Amino acid sequence: MLYRPASDDVGSSYQGGLPLRVDLKVIEDTVDKGGLKCTHIDAIRMFTKEGSKVPNAALGVNGNRELDRLVDQPRLEQGGCLHANLDLFKWAFKLFPLISSSIIGDALEVALEARRLDVAASPYDAGIYTGGWKVKVECEEGRREYKTRQMEIMGKSGEVRDRLIKAYEDVLL
């Protein structure tokens, strides 16, 4: 997470040289004001040292502790998490060719929509990847837009998630 990073070279060390859309002070103020609400195990593990000290809606204060995927991921993740919805495609594709290609295709559609919102809401100027669309989560209007779109994605992903779980059960049983 790009919150008080150890290096001032945030573009090249985090996102391949993309310039920031907002400066680090805006990022810090946004996090300081609202805390963190991320529940995805991989994102939590990537927080900077200072980011790990910020109260998190899922963890309290993470304290940079090691998380166990088998224990913590089912406990922490929720259906609105964009990164959990990206993972639907990862897990669907791992079962190829044992599951229906329609599940894989639907999981890909959800993942693409989730990634587009994730990139649009990032602190980087990533408009080249989103057609110029930006979700300015550092302001109230942007947070409302993010939440609305996140809930839309959650609605679409729930049915895909249920189908994927059933497919896993069918393969394993």
Side-chain angles (χ1 to χ4, degrees), residues 132-144:
W133 176 48
K134 297 173 186 155
V135 179
K136 298 178 180 180
V137 294
E138 66 277 5
C139 64
E140 189 62 36
E141 181 181 329
R143 286 190 293 278
R144 280 193 305 271

Side-chain angles (χ1 to χ4, degrees), residues 142-159:
R143 286 190 293 278
R144 280 193 305 271
E145 179 182 3
Y146 185 89
K147 182 177 179 178
T148 298
R149 291 184 181 254
Q150 183 182 31
M151 298 302 288
E152 291 168 357
I153 293 167
M154 184 176 79
K156 293 174 185 176
S157 69
E159 186 265 334

Side-chain angles (χ1 to χ4, degrees), residues 154-168:
M154 184 176 79
K156 293 174 185 176
S157 69
E159 186 265 334
V160 175
R161 183 175 285 103
D162 291 345
R163 288 172 47 218
L164 181 57
I165 290 170
K166 181 170 181 344
Y168 259 83

Side-chain angles (χ1 to χ4, degrees), residues 1-62:
M1 185 192 88
L2 189 62
Y3 173 82
R4 297 189 180 151
S7 168
D8 289 334
D9 189 15
V10 295
S12 63
S13 62
Y14 284 88
Q15 293 297 333
L18 282 176
L20 286 173
R21 175 179 62 74
V22 296
D23 66 36
L24 288 174
K25 178 72 172 131
V26 171
I27 295 167
E28 290 174 12
D29 291 347
T30 301
V31 172
D32 290 343
K33 180 181 174 186
L36 296 174
K37 296 173 178 66
C38 181
T39 62
H40 193 266
I41 190 170
D42 291 323
I44 291 167
R45 292 181 353 195
M46 298 301 207
F47 287 173
T48 62
K49 183 177 180 182
E50 291 301 312
S52 294
K53 296 177 184 176
V54 175
N56 182 296
L59 292 174
V61 176
N62 182 19

Side-chain angles (χ1 to χ4, degrees), residues 49-122:
K49 183 177 180 182
E50 291 301 312
S52 294
K53 296 177 184 176
V54 175
N56 182 296
L59 292 174
V61 176
N62 182 19
N64 246 356
R65 71 180 177 89
E66 291 296 316
L67 297 173
D68 182 286
R69 185 171 302 281
L70 292 176
V71 173
D72 294 315
Q73 189 166 8
R75 179 177 64 84
L76 295 175
E77 280 190 357
Q78 44 80 26
C81 173
L82 294 183
H83 298 99
N85 288 315
L86 288 166
D87 283 351
L88 288 177
F89 176 69
K90 173 179 74 174
W91 293 111
F93 198 72
K94 285 182 183 228
L95 274 185
F96 178 77
L98 301 174
I99 66 171
S100 165
S101 60
S102 70
I103 297 173
I104 295 169
D106 292 345
L108 177 59
E109 285 183 29
V110 167
L112 290 172
E113 190 172 344
R115 175 56 75 204
R116 188 165 182 254
L117 176 57
D118 189 39
V119 170
S122 83

